[in-house]
Amino acid sequence: RSLAGSGSIRIHDGAIKNRNLIKEILEKTSPVIAVASLFGGELPAEMTGMMRGSDTDFQKATVDFSVESGVVTVNDFLLMHPNYQLNGAGIYTLPERKVDLSSLLVFSKSVSEYFVKKIHELKAVRDRNGLVTIPFRYMGTLPDAVVVPDLPYISSRIVQVGAQELLTKSIERLMKLLEPKTSEQTQTGTAVETVIAAVSGKRDELV
């Protein structure tokens, strides 16, 4: 417990052996998202290992940390793969080997698009760049630490996005009923577009 200092770790072309964190995280969102369909049927070749493999492969992993009084503070960690990245920060205690990291799983654009086509609800957890992003904690005693997705956040996002989509569709239907058959239609059409754009803008602010 007298250890003190700071450092960094850099690893290229490695894997977390015998632990597929990507699959675990997705499976544990099942109480709020029906993810089973992501694992069934034929998968794109580049996604097979990610969804069905036994390891968590990565091209690059970096960890920046500091140590004081037997506690390792992970200031930043990043694990990168062409299909996803894991990043976050937290603490690791010595010699108990207890870890508590607040993390994000962010999928690539192509994987995100594939997921949203398969499961519409995943649209709700896309970031501003359209990437499916799942917040989670990695916690417990190593090597038996577990991943815990932030289900309350995911649920709230699904509700918010669903409500905005429903509101937009309702306004579109209402405006169609109110469309005039005279020359005023052009002006009204502009008003309709303005209202829908305003609603869409509010929806985008939530993402």
PDB file of all heavy atoms in Angstrom, residues 9 49 58 61 64 71 78-79 82 93 96 100 111 124 131 137-138 143 158 163 174 188 196-197 207:
ATOM      1  N   ILE A   9       0.021   2.154 -20.107  1.00  0.00           N
ATOM      2  CA  ILE A   9       0.195   0.846 -20.742  1.00  0.00           C
ATOM      3  C   ILE A   9      -0.284   0.957 -22.181  1.00  0.00           C
ATOM      4  O   ILE A   9      -1.341   1.542 -22.452  1.00  0.00           O
ATOM      5  CB  ILE A   9      -0.610  -0.243 -20.002  1.00  0.00           C
ATOM      6  CG1 ILE A   9      -0.146  -0.362 -18.544  1.00  0.00           C
ATOM      7  CG2 ILE A   9      -0.486  -1.582 -20.707  1.00  0.00           C
ATOM      8  CD1 ILE A   9      -1.033  -1.270 -17.704  1.00  0.00           C
ATOM      9  N   GLY A  49     -16.910 -12.892 -35.268  1.00  0.00           N
ATOM     10  CA  GLY A  49     -16.072 -13.011 -34.086  1.00  0.00           C
ATOM     11  C   GLY A  49     -16.562 -12.152 -32.947  1.00  0.00           C
ATOM     12  O   GLY A  49     -16.562 -12.575 -31.785  1.00  0.00           O
ATOM     13  N   PHE A  58      -8.819  -6.821 -29.868  1.00  0.00           N
ATOM     14  CA  PHE A  58      -8.603  -5.398 -30.076  1.00  0.00           C
ATOM     15  C   PHE A  58      -7.323  -5.172 -30.871  1.00  0.00           C
ATOM     16  O   PHE A  58      -6.406  -5.992 -30.861  1.00  0.00           O
ATOM     17  CB  PHE A  58      -8.544  -4.633 -28.746  1.00  0.00           C
ATOM     18  CG  PHE A  58      -7.482  -5.109 -27.789  1.00  0.00           C
ATOM     19  CD1 PHE A  58      -6.163  -4.666 -27.892  1.00  0.00           C
ATOM     20  CD2 PHE A  58      -7.801  -6.001 -26.774  1.00  0.00           C
ATOM     21  CE1 PHE A  58      -5.187  -5.095 -27.013  1.00  0.00           C
ATOM     22  CE2 PHE A  58      -6.832  -6.441 -25.879  1.00  0.00           C
ATOM     23  CZ  PHE A  58      -5.522  -5.988 -26.003  1.00  0.00           C
ATOM     24  N   ALA A  61      -4.888  -1.042 -27.265  1.00  0.00           N
ATOM     25  CA  ALA A  61      -5.416  -0.767 -25.928  1.00  0.00           C
ATOM     26  C   ALA A  61      -4.460   0.183 -25.209  1.00  0.00           C
ATOM     27  O   ALA A  61      -3.234  -0.003 -25.258  1.00  0.00           O
ATOM     28  CB  ALA A  61      -5.571  -2.054 -25.132  1.00  0.00           C
ATOM     29  N   ASP A  64      -4.059   4.871 -18.983  1.00  0.00           N
ATOM     30  CA  ASP A  64      -3.299   5.882 -18.246  1.00  0.00           C
ATOM     31  C   ASP A  64      -3.775   5.848 -16.803  1.00  0.00           C
ATOM     32  O   ASP A  64      -4.983   5.922 -16.537  1.00  0.00           O
ATOM     33  CB  ASP A  64      -3.533   7.271 -18.843  1.00  0.00           C
ATOM     34  CG  ASP A  64      -3.027   7.366 -20.272  1.00  0.00           C
ATOM     35  OD1 ASP A  64      -1.940   6.831 -20.548  1.00  0.00           O
ATOM     36  OD2 ASP A  64      -3.730   7.970 -21.115  1.00  0.00           O
ATOM     37  N   VAL A  71      -4.344   2.309  -4.166  1.00  0.00           N
ATOM     38  CA  VAL A  71      -5.472   2.484  -5.082  1.00  0.00           C
ATOM     39  C   VAL A  71      -4.955   2.958  -6.438  1.00  0.00           C
ATOM     40  O   VAL A  71      -4.253   3.970  -6.530  1.00  0.00           O
ATOM     41  CB  VAL A  71      -6.494   3.500  -4.538  1.00  0.00           C
ATOM     42  CG1 VAL A  71      -7.629   3.701  -5.557  1.00  0.00           C
ATOM     43  CG2 VAL A  71      -7.063   3.031  -3.213  1.00  0.00           C
ATOM     44  N   LEU A  78      -8.737   2.938 -23.110  1.00  0.00           N
ATOM     45  CA  LEU A  78      -9.340   2.877 -24.433  1.00  0.00           C
ATOM     46  C   LEU A  78      -8.940   1.566 -25.090  1.00  0.00           C
ATOM     47  O   LEU A  78      -7.755   1.229 -25.161  1.00  0.00           O
ATOM     48  CB  LEU A  78      -8.876   4.046 -25.291  1.00  0.00           C
ATOM     49  CG  LEU A  78      -9.338   4.063 -26.752  1.00  0.00           C
ATOM     50  CD1 LEU A  78     -10.850   4.197 -26.841  1.00  0.00           C
ATOM     51  CD2 LEU A  78      -8.661   5.198 -27.496  1.00  0.00           C
ATOM     52  N   LEU A  79      -9.929   0.835 -25.549  1.00  0.00           N
ATOM     53  CA  LEU A  79      -9.708  -0.406 -26.263  1.00  0.00           C
ATOM     54  C   LEU A  79     -10.372  -0.256 -27.627  1.00  0.00           C
ATOM     55  O   LEU A  79     -11.575  -0.008 -27.711  1.00  0.00           O
ATOM     56  CB  LEU A  79     -10.300  -1.573 -25.483  1.00  0.00           C
ATOM     57  CG  LEU A  79     -10.042  -2.999 -25.969  1.00  0.00           C
ATOM     58  CD1 LEU A  79     -10.105  -3.975 -24.788  1.00  0.00           C
ATOM     59  CD2 LEU A  79     -11.084  -3.409 -27.004  1.00  0.00           C
ATOM     60  N   PRO A  82     -11.914  -2.384 -35.094  1.00  0.00           N
ATOM     61  CA  PRO A  82     -12.638  -1.791 -36.229  1.00  0.00           C
ATOM     62  C   PRO A  82     -14.153  -1.742 -36.047  1.00  0.00           C
ATOM     63  O   PRO A  82     -14.815  -0.849 -36.588  1.00  0.00           O
ATOM     64  CB  PRO A  82     -12.261  -2.713 -37.404  1.00  0.00           C
ATOM     65  CG  PRO A  82     -10.922  -3.253 -37.033  1.00  0.00           C
ATOM     66  CD  PRO A  82     -10.967  -3.423 -35.540  1.00  0.00           C
ATOM     67  N   THR A  93      -8.359  -1.440  -6.751  1.00  0.00           N
ATOM     68  CA  THR A  93      -7.720  -1.459  -5.443  1.00  0.00           C
ATOM     69  C   THR A  93      -6.795  -2.662  -5.283  1.00  0.00           C
ATOM     70  O   THR A  93      -7.110  -3.763  -5.701  1.00  0.00           O
ATOM     71  CB  THR A  93      -8.768  -1.480  -4.313  1.00  0.00           C
ATOM     72  OG1 THR A  93      -9.605  -2.629  -4.465  1.00  0.00           O
ATOM     73  CG2 THR A  93      -9.627  -0.226  -4.353  1.00  0.00           C
ATOM     74  N   GLU A  96      -6.753  -6.183  -2.972  1.00  0.00           N
ATOM     75  CA  GLU A  96      -8.057  -6.851  -3.069  1.00  0.00           C
ATOM     76  C   GLU A  96      -8.457  -7.202  -4.500  1.00  0.00           C
ATOM     77  O   GLU A  96      -9.339  -8.036  -4.714  1.00  0.00           O
ATOM     78  CB  GLU A  96      -9.141  -5.958  -2.455  1.00  0.00           C
ATOM     79  CG  GLU A  96      -8.992  -5.726  -0.958  1.00  0.00           C
ATOM     80  CD  GLU A  96      -8.140  -4.485  -0.693  1.00  0.00           C
ATOM     81  OE1 GLU A  96      -7.502  -3.988  -1.653  1.00  0.00           O
ATOM     82  OE2 GLU A  96      -8.100  -4.009   0.453  1.00  0.00           O
ATOM     83  N   ASP A 100     -13.777  -0.947 -10.358  1.00  0.00           N
ATOM     84  CA  ASP A 100     -15.045  -0.263 -10.602  1.00  0.00           C
ATOM     85  C   ASP A 100     -14.790   0.795 -11.679  1.00  0.00           C
ATOM     86  O   ASP A 100     -14.219   1.848 -11.417  1.00  0.00           O
ATOM     87  CB  ASP A 100     -15.581   0.389  -9.335  1.00  0.00           C
ATOM     88  CG  ASP A 100     -17.004   0.924  -9.509  1.00  0.00           C
ATOM     89  OD1 ASP A 100     -17.513   0.900 -10.656  1.00  0.00           O
ATOM     90  OD2 ASP A 100     -17.600   1.353  -8.510  1.00  0.00           O
ATOM     91  N   VAL A 111     -21.590  -1.118 -38.091  1.00  0.00           N
ATOM     92  CA  VAL A 111     -22.235  -2.014 -37.135  1.00  0.00           C
ATOM     93  C   VAL A 111     -23.477  -1.354 -36.550  1.00  0.00           C
ATOM     94  O   VAL A 111     -24.521  -1.997 -36.391  1.00  0.00           O
ATOM     95  CB  VAL A 111     -21.254  -2.424 -36.015  1.00  0.00           C
ATOM     96  CG1 VAL A 111     -21.985  -3.191 -34.912  1.00  0.00           C
ATOM     97  CG2 VAL A 111     -20.121  -3.270 -36.579  1.00  0.00           C
ATOM     98  N   ALA A 124     -32.501   4.576 -30.315  1.00  0.00           N
ATOM     99  CA  ALA A 124     -32.592   5.505 -29.184  1.00  0.00           C
ATOM    100  C   ALA A 124     -31.261   5.736 -28.481  1.00  0.00           C
ATOM    101  O   ALA A 124     -31.095   6.737 -27.785  1.00  0.00           O
ATOM    102  CB  ALA A 124     -33.622   4.991 -28.171  1.00  0.00           C
ATOM    103  N   LEU A 131     -23.766   6.682 -33.829  1.00  0.00           N
ATOM    104  CA  LEU A 131     -23.146   5.444 -33.361  1.00  0.00           C
ATOM    105  C   LEU A 131     -23.881   4.902 -32.140  1.00  0.00           C
ATOM    106  O   LEU A 131     -24.120   5.642 -31.171  1.00  0.00           O
ATOM    107  CB  LEU A 131     -21.676   5.704 -32.996  1.00  0.00           C
ATOM    108  CG  LEU A 131     -20.813   6.351 -34.093  1.00  0.00           C
ATOM    109  CD1 LEU A 131     -19.380   6.523 -33.604  1.00  0.00           C
ATOM    110  CD2 LEU A 131     -20.865   5.537 -35.380  1.00  0.00           C
ATOM    111  N   ARG A 137     -21.035  -0.325 -16.409  1.00  0.00           N
ATOM    112  CA  ARG A 137     -19.984  -0.390 -15.399  1.00  0.00           C
ATOM    113  C   ARG A 137     -19.338  -1.766 -15.435  1.00  0.00           C
ATOM    114  O   ARG A 137     -20.013  -2.767 -15.678  1.00  0.00           O
ATOM    115  CB  ARG A 137     -20.543  -0.110 -13.999  1.00  0.00           C
ATOM    116  CG  ARG A 137     -20.957   1.333 -13.788  1.00  0.00           C
ATOM    117  CD  ARG A 137     -21.597   1.527 -12.431  1.00  0.00           C
ATOM    118  NE  ARG A 137     -20.636   1.351 -11.340  1.00  0.00           N
ATOM    119  CZ  ARG A 137     -20.974   1.312 -10.052  1.00  0.00           C
ATOM    120  NH1 ARG A 137     -22.259   1.420  -9.707  1.00  0.00           N
ATOM    121  NH2 ARG A 137     -20.052   1.166  -9.125  1.00  0.00           N
ATOM    122  N   TYR A 138     -18.046  -1.771 -15.190  1.00  0.00           N
ATOM    123  CA  TYR A 138     -17.297  -3.024 -15.064  1.00  0.00           C
ATOM    124  C   TYR A 138     -16.849  -3.063 -13.616  1.00  0.00           C
ATOM    125  O   TYR A 138     -16.022  -2.256 -13.187  1.00  0.00           O
ATOM    126  CB  TYR A 138     -16.111  -3.025 -16.019  1.00  0.00           C
ATOM    127  CG  TYR A 138     -15.303  -4.306 -16.001  1.00  0.00           C
ATOM    128  CD1 TYR A 138     -15.873  -5.513 -16.406  1.00  0.00           C
ATOM    129  CD2 TYR A 138     -13.968  -4.305 -15.591  1.00  0.00           C
ATOM    130  CE1 TYR A 138     -15.133  -6.688 -16.409  1.00  0.00           C
ATOM    131  CE2 TYR A 138     -13.227  -5.477 -15.597  1.00  0.00           C
ATOM    132  CZ  TYR A 138     -13.804  -6.662 -16.001  1.00  0.00           C
ATOM    133  OH  TYR A 138     -13.072  -7.824 -15.993  1.00  0.00           O
ATOM    134  N   PRO A 143     -10.654 -12.167 -11.161  1.00  0.00           N
ATOM    135  CA  PRO A 143     -11.079 -12.104 -12.565  1.00  0.00           C
ATOM    136  C   PRO A 143     -12.575 -12.268 -12.779  1.00  0.00           C
ATOM    137  O   PRO A 143     -13.011 -12.519 -13.898  1.00  0.00           O
ATOM    138  CB  PRO A 143     -10.320 -13.282 -13.169  1.00  0.00           C
ATOM    139  CG  PRO A 143     -10.329 -14.313 -12.088  1.00  0.00           C
ATOM    140  CD  PRO A 143     -10.172 -13.548 -10.800  1.00  0.00           C
ATOM    141  N   ILE A 158     -35.174   5.227 -24.762  1.00  0.00           N
ATOM    142  CA  ILE A 158     -36.172   4.583 -25.621  1.00  0.00           C
ATOM    143  C   ILE A 158     -37.510   5.302 -25.500  1.00  0.00           C
ATOM    144  O   ILE A 158     -38.196   5.559 -26.495  1.00  0.00           O
ATOM    145  CB  ILE A 158     -36.315   3.093 -25.249  1.00  0.00           C
ATOM    146  CG1 ILE A 158     -35.042   2.326 -25.637  1.00  0.00           C
ATOM    147  CG2 ILE A 158     -37.530   2.478 -25.954  1.00  0.00           C
ATOM    148  CD1 ILE A 158     -35.023   0.896 -25.154  1.00  0.00           C
ATOM    149  N   ALA A 163     -41.426   8.827 -27.842  1.00  0.00           N
ATOM    150  CA  ALA A 163     -42.417   9.889 -27.682  1.00  0.00           C
ATOM    151  C   ALA A 163     -42.245  10.958 -28.751  1.00  0.00           C
ATOM    152  O   ALA A 163     -43.221  11.462 -29.312  1.00  0.00           O
ATOM    153  CB  ALA A 163     -42.285  10.506 -26.289  1.00  0.00           C
ATOM    154  N   LEU A 174     -52.024  15.474 -38.578  1.00  0.00           N
ATOM    155  CA  LEU A 174     -52.918  16.601 -38.344  1.00  0.00           C
ATOM    156  C   LEU A 174     -52.788  17.639 -39.448  1.00  0.00           C
ATOM    157  O   LEU A 174     -53.798  18.146 -39.956  1.00  0.00           O
ATOM    158  CB  LEU A 174     -52.582  17.235 -36.986  1.00  0.00           C
ATOM    159  CG  LEU A 174     -53.367  18.503 -36.626  1.00  0.00           C
ATOM    160  CD1 LEU A 174     -54.861  18.193 -36.551  1.00  0.00           C
ATOM    161  CD2 LEU A 174     -52.876  19.075 -35.294  1.00  0.00           C
ATOM    162  N   THR A 188     -49.302  27.314 -46.129  1.00  0.00           N
ATOM    163  CA  THR A 188     -49.571  26.334 -45.077  1.00  0.00           C
ATOM    164  C   THR A 188     -48.526  25.233 -45.099  1.00  0.00           C
ATOM    165  O   THR A 188     -48.075  24.754 -44.066  1.00  0.00           O
ATOM    166  CB  THR A 188     -50.974  25.735 -45.248  1.00  0.00           C
ATOM    167  OG1 THR A 188     -51.925  26.782 -45.277  1.00  0.00           O
ATOM    168  CG2 THR A 188     -51.289  24.776 -44.106  1.00  0.00           C
ATOM    169  N   ILE A 196     -42.724  20.654 -38.188  1.00  0.00           N
ATOM    170  CA  ILE A 196     -42.071  19.344 -38.166  1.00  0.00           C
ATOM    171  C   ILE A 196     -40.585  19.495 -37.928  1.00  0.00           C
ATOM    172  O   ILE A 196     -39.975  18.735 -37.172  1.00  0.00           O
ATOM    173  CB  ILE A 196     -42.337  18.586 -39.481  1.00  0.00           C
ATOM    174  CG1 ILE A 196     -43.828  18.242 -39.578  1.00  0.00           C
ATOM    175  CG2 ILE A 196     -41.497  17.330 -39.566  1.00  0.00           C
ATOM    176  CD1 ILE A 196     -44.222  17.609 -40.881  1.00  0.00           C
ATOM    177  N   ALA A 197     -39.974  20.509 -38.540  1.00  0.00           N
ATOM    178  CA  ALA A 197     -38.536  20.737 -38.347  1.00  0.00           C
ATOM    179  C   ALA A 197     -38.232  21.073 -36.902  1.00  0.00           C
ATOM    180  O   ALA A 197     -37.228  20.636 -36.344  1.00  0.00           O
ATOM    181  CB  ALA A 197     -38.058  21.868 -39.265  1.00  0.00           C
ATOM    182  N   VAL A 207     -30.334  13.304 -28.644  1.00  0.00           N
ATOM    183  CA  VAL A 207     -29.389  12.260 -29.036  1.00  0.00           C
ATOM    184  C   VAL A 207     -27.975  12.642 -28.645  1.00  0.00           C
ATOM    185  O   VAL A 207     -27.588  13.774 -28.798  1.00  0.00           O
ATOM    186  CB  VAL A 207     -29.482  12.019 -30.555  1.00  0.00           C
ATOM    187  CG1 VAL A 207     -28.453  10.973 -30.980  1.00  0.00           C
ATOM    188  CG2 VAL A 207     -30.867  11.557 -30.928  1.00  0.00           C
TER     189      VAL A 207
END
